[in-house]
Amino acid sequence: IGPLEALNNSPLPLIYVLYGATGSKATTNVLVALIAVVIFCALFNIFASVSRLIWCFAKDKGLPFSEVFAYVHPTLKLPLNALILVGSIVTALSLIYIASATAFNALISLQALALHVSYIFPILFMLIRKIRGPAPRYGPFKLGIFGIPLNVLSLCYLLYVVTWMPFPTLLPVTKDNMNYAGPIFAAVIIGAIADWFVNGHKRFAIPITRYG
């Protein structure tokens, strides 16, 4: 893949690695184009799923301006405002790369940390329910006697990963190699908690009657 220092300084490491491995600009362009096609196709599914999550949460009044984002276009039958919100946020975040690649990489690294944290709570609550009882209603798949040990093992792994993931990967820490995922994640959590205490606890109602 070439010298690591040159790789770290490259604005587009993927292209640098592919070109170093193939030695051909044409082959590199083809490989990058194939990756771009995959990302482009996946984008539609991601765009649809995220907009539906926003719409669903807004429908339960879990977001600020829930009435706006819970709107469904009567003709298109789409959560139009939620789609516009997702598209606007993605576009705005993409523009950050023009100003600072470090800031952009910090934002996209946040998803790995947030994803692992999101796994902790359902596993934890399921484990507590199994221990305290009554046991939850299972679907067609059940782990049986391996359920609780695997839940505990999963939590240990997730806590280990979440603990170390926000740490910088290099020393000494500078503004360029700093891992900003932790501070950004903390800011998001603080913002969500602030919204809950200011107004969220008044408007949000757990939809037990529909999903219970």
Side-chain angles (χ1 to χ4, degrees), residues 77-99:
K77 306 298 182 183
L78 293 173
L80 190 59
N81 292 340
L83 286 167
I84 294 174
L85 175 65
V86 174
S88 301
I89 292 175
V90 170
T91 302
L93 293 179
S94 300
L95 295 176
I96 295 177
Y97 191 85
I98 300 176

Side-chain angles (χ1 to χ4, degrees), residues 19 36 39 43 46 81 100 102 105 111-112 117 125 128 130 132 138 157 159 163 166 179 187-189 193 199 206 208:
Y19 182 70
I39 294 175
L43 180 63
I46 297 171
N81 292 340
S100 172
T102 302
N105 291 330
Q111 62 180 338
V117 172
F125 294 146
I128 294 174
K130 289 178 181 178
R132 290 184 177 180
Y138 294 98
Y157 167 76
L159 291 174
T163 300
N179 187 347
V188 172
I189 296 299
I193 294 174
N199 194 26
I206 300 176
I208 297 176

Side-chain angles (χ1 to χ4, degrees), residues 2-88:
L4 291 179
E5 183 177 354
L7 178 62
N8 290 331
N9 295 329
S10 174
L12 296 172
L14 175 61
I15 296 179
Y16 179 86
V17 171
L18 292 176
Y19 182 70
T22 61
S24 169
K25 292 183 179 180
T27 304
T28 301
N29 288 331
V30 170
L31 293 175
V32 172
L34 291 174
I35 296 173
V37 169
V38 172
I39 294 175
F40 181 77
C41 294
L43 180 63
F44 290 99
N45 293 327
I46 297 171
F47 199 70
S49 62
V50 174
S51 62
R52 268 63 176 183
L53 286 172
I54 292 176
W55 168 79
C56 186
F57 201 28
K59 187 162 59 72
D60 296 328
K61 301 186 183 302
L63 293 175
F65 311 106
S66 293
E67 295 78 7
V68 176
F69 300 121
Y71 170 77
V72 177
H73 194 280
T75 304
L76 300 176
K77 306 298 182 183
L78 293 173
L80 190 59
N81 292 340
L83 286 167
I84 294 174
L85 175 65
V86 174
S88 301

